[in-house]
């Protein structure tokens, strides 16, 4: 019959082995549970694919239909007849002549200046507001309009009136 001392030592060895494994596994499981509880395991979920829906609006549904129709008409009403410009230290100075074909006097106009390279590619685009009264049915000469810093590679300028305020 085996002695009692051997049985206890065998039991202690097995218990110590089990205790080592449990003490190693329980903190890991506790950590995983905490991550799960605070929703930090999102990286394991499959990502939702972004879906896009393209709807074609009918002309009746378009909110900016009036602007689209009036834009060509507006650009016929306000034309830049003459545009002389030169660079002074990298700053573009323009002398413009703007024709107002409408029946109302405009108080200010927004003019877009598109500066072109030698290959007629747009280098920069600047929009400024010119606050000067433009009488109806006449052309007005506006001198020394400073647009701002422009690339020295600009060889041409294409101005157009975007908006007029009456």
């Amino acid at each position: 019959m085996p002695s009692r001392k051997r049985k206890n030592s065998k039991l202690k060895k097995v218990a110590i082995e089990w205790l080592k494994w449990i003490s190693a596994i329980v903190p890991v499981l506790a950590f995983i549970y905490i991550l799960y509880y605070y929703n930090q395991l999102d990286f394991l979920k499959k990502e939702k694919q972004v879906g896009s829906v393209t709807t074609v609006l009918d002309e009746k549904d378009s909110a900016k239909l009036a602007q689209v129709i009036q834009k060509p008409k507006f650009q016929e009403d306000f034309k830049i007849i003459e545009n002389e410009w030169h660079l002074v230290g990298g700053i573009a100075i323009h002398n413009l002549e703007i024709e107002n074909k409408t029946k109302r006097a405009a108080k200010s106009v927004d003019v877009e200046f598109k500066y072109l390279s030698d290959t007629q590619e747009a280098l920069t685009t600047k929009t400024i507001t010119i606050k000067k009264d433009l009488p109806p049915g006449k052309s007005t000469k506006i001198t020394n309009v400073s647009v701002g810093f422009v690339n020295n590679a600009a060889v041409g300028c294409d101005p157009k009136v975007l908006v007029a305020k009456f």
Side-chain angles (χ1 to χ4, degrees):
M1 199 159 136
S3 71
R4 200 171 179 125
K5 195 174 183 183
R6 278 189 181 165
K7 252 187 179 177
N8 281 344
S9 68
K10 233 184 197 181
L11 183 63
K12 282 183 183 178
K13 282 185 179 179
V14 171
I16 289 173
E17 253 335 281
W18 274 95
L19 191 58
K20 285 181 184 176
W21 279 101
I22 289 173
S23 66
I25 293 174
V26 167
V28 172
L29 292 176
F31 179 70
I32 292 172
Y33 177 73
I34 290 170
L35 289 178
Y36 172 75
Y37 184 77
Y38 289 105
N39 296 324
Q40 298 297 316
L41 297 174
D42 293 339
F43 64 91
L44 295 175
K45 294 179 184 175
K46 188 175 183 182
E47 290 185 22
K48 294 179 182 176
Q49 291 184 351
V50 177
S52 64
V53 178
T54 304
T55 57
V56 178
L57 298 176
D58 195 6
E59 288 182 9
K60 298 173 190 170
D61 298 333
S62 177
K64 296 184 178 183
L65 181 62
Q67 291 177 355
V68 171
I69 291 173
Q70 290 179 352
K71 194 169 187 177
K73 183 183 176 213
F74 179 78
Q75 291 185 353
E76 289 175 8
D77 291 342
F78 286 90
K79 284 190 176 181
I80 296 179
I81 299 172
E82 188 179 320
N83 175 35
E84 295 175 8
W85 70 284
H86 59 279
L87 291 175
V88 177
I91 295 175
I93 307 293
H94 287 263
N95 294 326
L96 303 169
E97 187 172 348
I98 301 175
E99 183 179 17
N100 180 3
K101 292 183 182 177
T102 61
K103 296 179 182 175
R104 298 187 298 175
K107 293 185 179 184
S108 67
V109 290
D110 289 348
V111 181
E112 177 188 60
F113 295 95
K114 189 182 295 183
Y115 293 96
L116 308 171
S117 68
D118 54 352
T119 59
Q120 299 300 311
E121 182 180 353
L123 291 174
T124 56
T125 302
K126 304 222 179 213
T127 303
I128 64 165
T129 302
I130 299 173
K131 294 182 179 180
K132 184 164 183 169
D133 290 333
L134 300 172
K138 293 183 179 179
S139 63
T140 306
K141 184 92 172 165
I142 302 170
T143 59
N144 296 330
V145 177
S146 174
V147 177
F149 183 75
V150 177
N151 190 347
N152 287 335
V155 294
C157 179
D158 183 24
K160 66 178 171 181
V161 177
L162 296 177
V163 179
K165 296 174 185 149
F166 298 98

